[in-house]
Amino acid sequence: MVLETYTTIFYVDDDEDDRLFFEEVTQQIGESISLFELGDQMLFQLENPPPYPSVIFLDLNMPVKDGFEVLQEIKSTFNLKDVPVIILSTTSNPETVERCFNLGASLYVKKSMSIEELKKSLEYVLSIDWEQHVLTESNFVYKR
């Protein structure tokens, strides 16, 4: 069994429109995706693969368990701590960005309102060699 054939992008967001928007863009660029409405649903899947996440996109403002809590659980789980977690949020509040950085997120991307902008940011994320990537505060926020 080749692990790569069972990898996919994971995306969790309680907003159905955002999930559909994200799904449309991943289809355009030919990537497979697993969508989740709640953080607990994604955490359950992470514990019960396949599929395995190649990268996780995470919304912050969700009911039950917010993105901060989900991020903390992912980064404190031994076999998941190295999976890149990309925060996809509407806010660019510096305290929020700093908190995500300190909790171990890999990149912070402000949600875009256009398919082209989302596609560009997704292609950027997928072009990064996460095993070689050196995270710093200066490269943590994606600049359009």
Side-chain angles (χ1 to χ4, degrees), residues 40-117:
D40 278 338
Q41 294 169 331
M42 185 189 67
L43 289 168
F44 178 80
Q45 182 61 51
L46 287 169
E47 294 169 10
N48 298 281
Y52 300 89
S54 54
V55 64
I56 297 169
F57 286 85
L58 180 61
D59 182 41
L60 292 177
N61 299 314
M62 296 183 293
V64 185
K65 197 173 278 193
D66 69 23
F68 297 110
E69 294 169 292
V70 173
L71 175 60
Q72 211 163 3
E73 280 194 45
I74 291 168
K75 292 302 172 180
S76 65
T77 303
F78 178 76
N79 61 332
L80 299 174
K81 65 180 175 51
D82 294 329
V83 176
V85 178
I86 314 308
I87 303 301
L88 200 55
S89 181
T90 54
T91 185
S92 50
N93 176 309
E95 290 83 23
T96 302
V97 172
E98 184 178 355
R99 185 174 176 197
C100 291
F101 179 83
N102 290 334
L103 286 172
S106 304
L107 188 68
Y108 194 97
V109 178
K110 190 159 183 338
K111 284 184 180 177
S112 58
M113 293 296 126
S114 85
I115 288 205
E116 275 311 305
E117 282 184 16

